[in-house]
């Protein structure tokens, strides 16, 4: 058995999560080997919904504009009762993180785009048709036993391994890591159509105990239907042409459209008990299985990649000690499970098991219209758990979880640069750490800030943001200076004038340094970064 040289990071699994992680690591200039047992990326439709956080991660990877080109951007949902009359709608209009809160895409197109983008990087080695058969760990990292397309086995050594190998995850089983949660008793039939005669671009949710279902528009004039199987129905029965045709006739004008895929699924609400073992990390479906009712399964996986990529890069480059890697599971577990719980709650609304429950749900939502703030909470999709951490690689400032900026994803407003061009904030922040000052006087924006002993090591980018009604001159010394064009930064970051925000590469606020007494926070940051 031959043996290859050591690789800083090896990714097992070239689905969307593995490909996303590879792109981010390549942006951070880390050599990567990508191992995938299949000969190519997927061709069949799978995930269909992408959110603002995922598009922001793709923006960091330099792929947001290309991704938007394959998406149907910015759509919502209409909830219909058994009488097919709408009783609630979700149509978010805000873009706090710089992108629409919900858009449609086709997974094969996204995977092809992500795979194609890797061709830009000479420090990326892709091995399709290779399968990991076993692994061992020692003080120097991980040794993978791999079989190539010709069946010949070789050993591949890597400092770190990211397992993005799906819900059945062979690597998770090799590590003997269990999952907690449960599996839904109900099965669902998924039907993907090549086209559609229906030009309605919102998702229809049929909250009907006689046959719960979902009707989702896709990009390029495609459409997906999802229907719950009723008691006693078999997989063979519901996938028969006559049965599928009747379902389509009952739910729109698309009977007779070419069917790309029809498949019966069982859904899960499960999460691993350990996200990391030694030098091996679990991501995506290998770490968590999310019911589809909120469209967050793939998005949670992309969050995993965004969270882990910069940490691995910082450790490999020697910027931060390996202890930062322990925060991966701390940070991701809490948010991933919150989204699983949200999907479970939405499933209860979508799948009332009696007509009485269906009518009560409708009555409840219609009553919300009498309370505009509560109704706005629903229509603007504010029930979705905010991306924020209560623990992890952060320096808490003592504020309440709902109000503190620490551990929260930073808002991404449109900004105006010194040459009057308009951009999103992240294009100025770059791909590393950033220190943000919000000040009407750029020349004094960083006055009073103590020396940061970690600034050079982190290659910290200083950015001064001026309020909406102030120009960007005089420029802040040794910093980029931009203007908050629409006041979105100030609106989403209350109190920003009184502090400096240290932002991580994944756009989460690591620390809030108070201007009136910055020394304690700076010292806490120094300890954390040197631990």
């Amino acid at each position: 058995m031959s043996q290859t040289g050591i690789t800083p990071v090896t990714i097992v699994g070239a689905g969307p999560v593995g490909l996303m992680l590879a792109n981010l690591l390549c942006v951070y200039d880390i050599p990567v080997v990508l191992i995938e047992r299949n000969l190519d990326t997927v061709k069949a439709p799978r995930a269909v919904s992408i959110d603002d956080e995922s598009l922001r991660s793709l923006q960091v990877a330099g792929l947001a504009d290309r991704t938007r080109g394959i998406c149907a951007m910015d759509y919502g949902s209409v909830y219909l009762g058994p009488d097919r009359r709408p009783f609630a709608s979700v149509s978010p209009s805000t873009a706090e993180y710089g992108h629409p809160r919900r858009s449609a895409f086709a997974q094969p197109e996204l995977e092809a785009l992500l795979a194609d983008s890797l061709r830009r990087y000479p420090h990326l080695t892709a091995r399709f048709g290779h399968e990991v058969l076993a692994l061992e760990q020692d003080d120097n990292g991980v040794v993978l036993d791999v079989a190539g397309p010709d069946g010949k086995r070789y050993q591949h050594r890597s400092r770190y391994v990211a397992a993005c190998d799906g819900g059945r995850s062979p690597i998770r089983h090799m590590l003997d890591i269990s999952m907690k949660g449960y599996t839904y008793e109900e099965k669902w039939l998924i039907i993907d159509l090549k086209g559609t005669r229906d030009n309605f671009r919102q998702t229809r949710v049929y909250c009907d105990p006689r046959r719960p279902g979902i009707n989702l528009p896709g990009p390029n004039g495609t459409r997906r239907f999802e229907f719950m199987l009723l008691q006693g129905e078999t997989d063979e029965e519901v996938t028969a042409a006559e049965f599928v045709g009747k379902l389509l006739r009952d739910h729109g004008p698309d009977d007779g459209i070419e069917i790309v895929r029809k498949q019966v699924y069982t859904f899960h609400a499960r999460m691993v008990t350990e996200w990391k073992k030694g030098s091996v990390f679990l991501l995506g479906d290998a770490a968590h299985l999310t019911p589809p009712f909120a469209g967050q399964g793939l998005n949670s996986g992309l969050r995993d990649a965004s969270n882990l990529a910069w940490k691995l890069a910082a450790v490999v480059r020697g910027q931060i000690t390996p202890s930062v890697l322990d925060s991966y599971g701390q940070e991701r577990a809490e948010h991933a499970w919150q989204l699983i719980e949200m999907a479970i709650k939405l499933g209860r609304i979508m799948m009332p098991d009696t007509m009485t429950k269906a009518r009560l749900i409708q009555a409840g939502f219609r009553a919300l219209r009498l309370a505009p703030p509560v109704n706005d909470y629903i229509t603007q999709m504010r029930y979705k758990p905010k991306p924020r951490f209560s623990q992890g690689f952060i320096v808490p400032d003592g504020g309440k979880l709902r109000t503190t900026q620490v551990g929260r994803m930073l808002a991404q407003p449109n900004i105006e640069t010194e040459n009057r061009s308009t951009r999103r904030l992240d294009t100025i922040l770059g791909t590393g750490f950033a220190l943000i000052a919000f000040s009407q006087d750029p020349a004094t924006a960083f006055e009073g800030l103590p020396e940061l002993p970690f600034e050079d090591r982190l290659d910290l980018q200083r950015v001064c943001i001026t309020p909406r009604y102030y120009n960007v001159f005089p420029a802040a010394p040794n910093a980029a200076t931009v203007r908050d064009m629409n006041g979105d930064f100030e609106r989403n970051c209350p109190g920003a004038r009184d502090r400096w925000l240290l932002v991580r590469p994944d756009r989460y606020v690591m620390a809030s340094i108070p201007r009136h007494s910055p020394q304690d926070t700076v010292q806490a940051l120094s300890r954390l970064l040197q631990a």
Side-chain angles (χ1 to χ4, degrees):
M1 186 182 297
S2 63
Q3 184 168 335
T4 62
I6 191 166
T7 299
V9 181
T10 297
I11 300 168
V12 181
V17 177
L19 291 167
M20 181 67 181
L21 180 62
N23 272 275
L24 287 171
L25 287 168
C26 286
V27 165
Y28 300 142
D29 204 29
I30 302 300
V32 175
V33 169
L34 176 64
I35 297 176
E36 166 59 51
R37 66 181 179 180
N38 295 314
L39 295 174
D40 203 348
T41 56
V42 301
K43 304 302 179 187
R46 292 184 183 176
V48 294
S49 183
I50 193 164
D51 68 10
D52 48 354
E53 297 167 56
S54 294
L55 286 170
R56 191 173 190 180
S57 296
L58 285 156
Q59 183 185 345
V60 174
L63 298 171
D65 290 339
R66 288 184 64 188
T67 303
R68 290 168 74 97
I70 62 171
C71 289
M73 302 301 295
D74 192 17
Y75 73 99
S77 300
V78 175
Y79 290 76
L80 308 175
D83 56 3
R84 299 288 173 89
R85 293 174 58 193
F87 66 86
S89 67
V90 177
S91 185
S93 58
T94 58
E96 182 179 349
Y97 304 125
H99 301 276
R101 300 199 72 176
R102 189 171 177 230
S103 302
F105 79 108
Q107 184 170 330
E109 291 187 12
L110 178 63
E111 289 196 18
L113 185 156
L114 290 169
D116 178 70
S117 70
L118 292 174
R119 300 177 191 274
R120 300 176 292 171
Y121 301 108
H123 49 294
L124 182 285
T125 302
R127 298 178 183 170
F128 282 82
H130 293 241
E131 183 175 4
V132 175
L133 303 177
L135 68 81
E136 292 183 0
Q137 300 196 61
D138 56 31
D139 293 340
N140 297 315
V142 188
V143 179
L144 299 176
D145 180 7
V146 186
D150 57 3
K152 291 183 179 179
R153 294 170 65 172
Y154 62 92
Q155 286 188 334
H156 173 76
R157 177 173 282 278
S158 187
R159 186 172 174 189
Y160 298 104
V161 170
C164 309
D165 53 345
R168 293 187 174 89
S169 183
I171 289 185
R172 187 181 68 231
H173 291 290
M174 294 174 197
L175 296 172
D176 195 26
I177 293 177
S178 60
M179 301 188 87
K180 63 180 181 180
Y182 64 92
T183 297
Y184 279 75
E185 293 181 3
E186 302 88 356
K187 291 182 177 181
W188 282 69
L189 169 66
I190 294 180
I191 306 166
D192 284 296
L193 303 181
K194 189 173 183 177
T196 181
R197 301 184 186 95
D198 187 350
N199 68 351
F200 189 66
R201 73 183 314 272
Q202 303 283 75
T203 294
R204 296 186 183 94
V205 182
Y206 304 105
C207 304
D208 186 346
R210 294 169 298 184
R211 175 79 68 186
I214 309 173
N215 178 341
L216 303 98
N220 303 317
T222 58
R223 188 164 292 274
R224 166 176 289 185
F225 289 89
E226 301 178 3
F227 297 107
M228 193 181 87
L229 273 63
L230 304 181
Q231 189 171 6
E233 291 178 336
T234 65
D235 296 8
E236 294 76 17
E237 177 184 355
V238 301
T239 53
E242 183 178 345
F243 192 97
V244 170
K246 184 176 186 308
L247 284 175
L248 296 179
R249 286 193 298 275
D250 289 345
H251 293 83
D254 285 336
D255 182 25
I257 298 290
E258 181 180 345
I259 295 174
V260 178
R261 182 185 66 146
K262 51 184 178 179
Q263 192 163 344
V264 175
Y265 275 92
T266 300
F267 299 140
H268 308 274
R270 311 187 75 186
M271 191 171 74
V272 288
T273 55
E274 298 174 85
W275 289 67
K276 168 184 178 290
K277 182 169 281 190
S279 298
V280 183
F281 304 83
L282 300 176
L283 294 84
D285 286 353
H288 43 76
L289 297 168
T290 307
F293 311 118
Q296 287 299 305
L298 174 132
N299 292 291
S300 285
L302 297 183
R303 292 186 195 99
D304 298 342
S306 179
N307 186 287
L308 183 60
W310 73 267
K311 295 175 181 177
L312 286 171
V315 171
V316 170
R317 290 198 296 247
Q319 293 177 302
I320 301 177
T321 63
S323 61
V324 66
L325 300 174
D326 294 331
S327 68
Y328 167 63
Q330 286 180 318
E331 294 177 350
R332 287 299 305 128
E334 181 179 14
H335 194 214
W337 190 253
Q338 287 174 347
L339 289 163
I340 289 173
E341 289 181 324
M342 179 186 75
I344 293 170
K345 291 174 183 176
L346 287 176
R348 293 186 183 125
I349 296 171
M350 295 180 186
M351 300 186 298
D353 54 10
T354 67
M355 199 63 75
T356 299
K357 287 182 181 179
R359 293 193 180 103
L360 287 173
I361 289 170
Q362 292 178 66
F365 274 91
R366 286 176 175 140
L368 292 179
R369 298 174 189 171
L370 303 176
V374 181
N375 189 61
D376 189 61
Y377 177 81
I378 300 296
T379 60
Q380 293 301 310
M381 206 174 165
R382 293 194 177 124
Y383 54 80
K384 179 185 174 186
K386 282 278 190 180
R388 56 189 173 200
F389 313 129
S390 63
Q391 58 181 337
F393 201 69
I394 56 177
V395 176
D397 63 355
K400 295 180 180 179
L401 184 61
R402 284 186 169 272
T403 57
T404 180
Q405 293 297 315
V406 177
R408 182 182 298 212
M409 181 175 276
L410 185 75
Q412 183 182 199
N414 288 326
I415 52 93
E416 183 184 52
T417 66
E418 295 175 62
N419 64 6
R420 297 183 181 177
S421 64
T422 301
R423 303 181 188 176
R424 300 189 194 102
L425 176 61
D426 286 3
T427 61
I428 301 299
L429 298 185
T431 58
F433 288 85
L435 184 68
I436 295 178
F438 186 72
S439 174
Q440 64 193 49
D441 182 6
T444 62
F446 292 96
E447 284 187 1
L449 179 69
E451 178 183 356
L452 305 179
F454 46 80
E455 184 163 3
D456 291 340
R457 177 159 44 93
L458 295 185
D459 193 21
L460 200 61
Q461 165 79 4
R462 291 192 179 198
V463 178
C464 174
I465 302 176
T466 66
R468 180 181 183 184
Y469 298 113
Y470 288 83
N471 285 316
V472 297
F473 57 82
N478 302 313
T481 308
V482 299
R483 182 174 73 90
D484 182 15
M485 285 185 60
N486 303 308
D488 291 334
F489 184 85
E490 186 169 19
R491 185 163 40 254
N492 287 297
C493 299
R497 294 174 187 259
D498 302 323
R499 58 197 69 244
W500 296 282
L501 300 178
L502 181 61
V503 181
R504 309 186 324 187
D506 60 355
R507 311 315 191 198
Y508 282 79
V509 177
M510 183 175 177
S512 176
I513 306 173
R515 288 177 178 267
H516 61 84
S517 56
Q519 199 63 51
D520 288 347
T521 304
V522 171
Q523 290 175 356
L525 275 167
S526 298
R527 289 192 297 271
L528 180 63
L529 289 164
Q530 293 170 3

